[in-house]
Amino acid sequence: MDARWWAVVVVLATLPSLGAGGETPEAPPESWTQLWFFRFLVNAAGYASFMVPGYLLVQYFRRRNYLETGRGLCFPLVKACVFGNEPKASDEVPLAPRTEPAETTPTWQALKLFFCAVGLQVSYLTWGVLQERVMTRSYGATATWAGERFTDSQFLVLMNRVLALIVAGLYCLLCKQPRHGAPMYRYSFASLSNVLSSWCQYEALKFVSFPTQVLAKASKVIPVMLMGKLVSRRSYEHWEYLTAGLISIGVSMFLLSSGPEPRISPATTLSGLILLAGYIAFDSFTSNWQDALFAYKMSSVQMMFGVNFFSCLFTVGSLLEQGALLEGTRFMGRHSEFAAHALLLSVCSACGQLFIFYTIGQFGAAVFTIIMTLRQAFAILLSCLLYGHTITVVGGLGVAVVFAALLLRVYARGRLKQRGKKAVAVESPVQKV
């Protein structure tokens, strides 16, 4: 009986349903192979075709004690991938999180802060607008033809990761980095969860509006706190429970309100909510795994390179196995506008990551969090202006409550640090995209 109930839930989740405002989905999937759940399983199977043999190889080399007995041309490669390298004291590069020289003037600091804020806002606001354009609008429309939509989220993930890999590789070549010590295979776990979270993020836009997606990202502190309480028995301050409650109230106000023009906004469906939950879960795992990898004293750009290297490997392999890589390339050839949008989307994603590292290094995580919180509010406003999403007064108040709670969290953490108390960190300072 339980198995049948789970089957019903899965079928309902993969089919379009009515949204909060009674909106009607634009069109059902062409066939069962186009259902998001089926595509998710196919993608996961493609990633497993690399992860499982790789894991077995790692276990084989460890059981054979290859580090002590191995020889030959492949030994350096196997050592770097499976065992890593112990960094020497002379090779370590000090990675001070913030440097504030005495001769830096307030004017110069203000200019740097302005540069960081503008860079983050432009990068991620453009990224958000293009993300919604690519996933929710048609290309090649004419007076007699409605055009065609791009539906392969995995191809977009690949484009983003390829450019990020190139940018991180060039940065590592041009700027001195710490001697790399982590076994390369350990990046694959963060890469897998990062690819899946990005895929869920793109795929969710087929079912929910962009403002809903932004609010879901803003409210991921709630499941993180719940997991910390249940799994790690972690305790939280009263203000953390207060702000989490305010966030949940604000999100509920937004989701339960309906706009007067349901024909414009996409349907908020069970599928979209499940995909957003998947995004939050995979993204939380990525953050925690990366935190553990930083114990190897690597730089953020080295982390960026390692994760994107395996992300490219997984996505290219999966697309080749499905025969979808050529189809995505053909779509770019048919629609030059899509090619430009996808390329600019990838550029904004890669540049945004560099702005994140620089901002946190210069001004700390609190300033970065404030900038990105304001960016999320601007992203909702810009999406409503450009794509005609309607938000009621109640929904607008819900959005305001969510962002007020987020800013309150930043303020409370700052006060705790000033008093010499240690605030409990429940979210990663680096936002994944």
Side-chain angles (χ1 to χ4, degrees):
M1 187 68 179
D2 292 339
R4 283 183 291 174
W5 275 111
W6 275 111
V8 172
V9 171
V10 169
V11 171
L12 290 176
T14 56
L15 293 176
S17 61
L18 292 180
E23 298 131 343
T24 304
E26 296 181 2
E30 295 179 1
S31 67
W32 65 275
T33 59
Q34 296 300 314
L35 296 175
W36 70 264
F37 187 71
F38 177 81
R39 293 196 304 272
F40 177 84
L41 292 179
V42 172
N43 292 345
Y47 306 146
S49 67
F50 290 89
M51 286 287 291
V52 173
Y55 176 79
L56 294 177
L57 277 176
V58 169
Q59 295 303 313
Y60 169 79
F61 286 122
R62 287 184 174 277
R63 285 197 302 268
R64 289 288 303 271
N65 196 20
Y66 188 81
L67 189 61
E68 301 294 335
T69 62
R71 296 292 184 271
L73 295 175
C74 295
F75 177 76
L77 178 62
V78 173
K79 180 183 177 183
C81 292
V82 179
F83 301 98
N85 299 296
E86 288 294 332
K88 302 175 183 178
S90 59
D91 293 325
E92 293 185 357
V93 178
L95 298 175
R98 298 174 64 182
T99 56
E100 298 181 3
E103 64 271 12
T104 300
T105 63
T107 302
W108 179 242
Q109 284 292 97
L111 288 175
K112 287 199 296 184
L113 179 59
F114 178 78
F115 171 74
C116 292
V118 171
L120 287 169
Q121 299 291 345
V122 171
S123 297
Y124 284 112
L125 287 177
T126 305
W127 175 81
V129 169
L130 290 174
Q131 180 186 200
E132 187 169 9
R133 169 66 180 88
V134 169
M135 297 306 300
T136 64
R137 297 297 187 270
S138 300
Y139 286 95
T142 62
T144 58
W145 186 48
E148 58 178 335
R149 289 193 177 185
F150 184 77
T151 59
D152 194 347
S153 301
Q154 188 176 211
F155 187 82
L156 278 182
V157 175
L158 171 62
M159 291 197 64
N160 289 349
R161 298 304 177 265
V162 167
L163 194 60
L165 178 67
I166 295 173
V167 170
L170 291 176
Y171 192 96
C172 289
L173 288 175
L174 298 176
C175 302
K176 187 176 181 181
Q177 302 292 318
R179 186 172 186 266
H180 189 267
M184 288 296 294
Y185 84 92
R186 292 181 64 86
Y187 289 106
S188 63
F189 299 98
S191 297
L192 178 62
S193 60
N194 182 251
V195 168
L196 291 174
S197 68
S198 298
W199 185 88
C200 290
Q201 178 179 249
Y202 284 124
E203 199 73 12
L205 282 177
K206 299 176 182 178
F207 304 97
V208 300
S209 66
F210 183 77
T212 302
Q213 186 192 78
V214 172
L215 280 187
K217 295 179 185 179
S219 61
K220 68 180 181 181
V221 62
I222 299 174
V224 171
M225 286 184 63
L226 289 175
M227 291 299 294
K229 188 71 175 177
L230 295 175
V231 178
S232 304
R233 304 297 181 184
R234 185 175 294 169
S235 60
Y236 297 98
E237 301 285 344
H238 294 299
W239 59 266
E240 293 182 285
Y241 289 110
L242 173 63
T243 52
L246 289 175
I247 290 173
S248 63
I249 292 172
V251 172
S252 299
M253 291 170 62
F254 178 81
L255 294 179
L256 295 177
S257 64
S258 59
E261 300 180 66
R263 59 183 178 84
I264 295 178
S265 299
T268 300
T269 65
L270 179 60
S271 295
L273 296 179
I274 293 176
L275 286 166
L276 288 177
Y279 161 77
I280 292 174
F282 289 126
D283 187 64
S284 299
F285 177 86
T286 303
S287 301
N288 286 304
W289 192 268
Q290 287 179 325
D291 287 342
L293 281 179
F294 275 120
Y296 287 96
K297 308 297 183 184
M298 68 183 68
S299 69
S300 297
V301 181
Q302 287 176 320
M303 174 72 73
M304 181 179 174
F305 180 86
V307 171
N308 283 294
F309 173 80
F310 280 97
S311 297
C312 291
L313 178 65
F314 292 150
T315 50
V316 167
S318 179
L319 287 169
L320 287 174
E321 291 173 356
Q322 300 175 39
L325 183 62
L326 184 59
E327 178 55 35
T329 306
R330 286 172 177 170
F331 192 94
M332 293 182 66
R334 292 195 301 269
H335 305 289
S336 58
E337 184 183 10
F338 166 77
H341 287 166
L343 179 60
L344 185 56
L345 184 75
S346 302
V347 170
C348 290
S349 176
C351 292
Q353 285 290 313
L354 296 180
F355 274 112
I356 287 175
F357 301 146
Y358 183 75
T359 303
I360 294 177
Q362 292 293 319
F363 301 101
V367 173
F368 165 75
T369 303
I370 293 174
I371 294 174
M372 295 304 283
T373 301
L374 294 176
R375 191 274 303 181
Q376 290 175 318
F378 292 150
I380 292 178
L381 178 61
L382 194 58
S383 177
C384 291
L385 292 176
L386 294 179
Y387 298 109
H389 301 300
T390 55
I391 298 180
T392 63
V393 174
V394 175
L397 288 175
V399 174
V401 169
V402 169
F403 290 113
L406 292 175
L407 293 175
L408 180 59
R409 291 180 69 84
V410 178
Y411 172 77
R413 286 178 183 279
R415 294 286 295 178
L416 279 178
K417 289 182 179 180
Q418 289 179 358
R419 294 176 182 177
K421 295 182 179 179
K422 184 177 180 182
V424 180
V426 296
E427 61 256 8
S428 173
V430 178
Q431 178 167 340
K432 308 298 183 303
V433 297

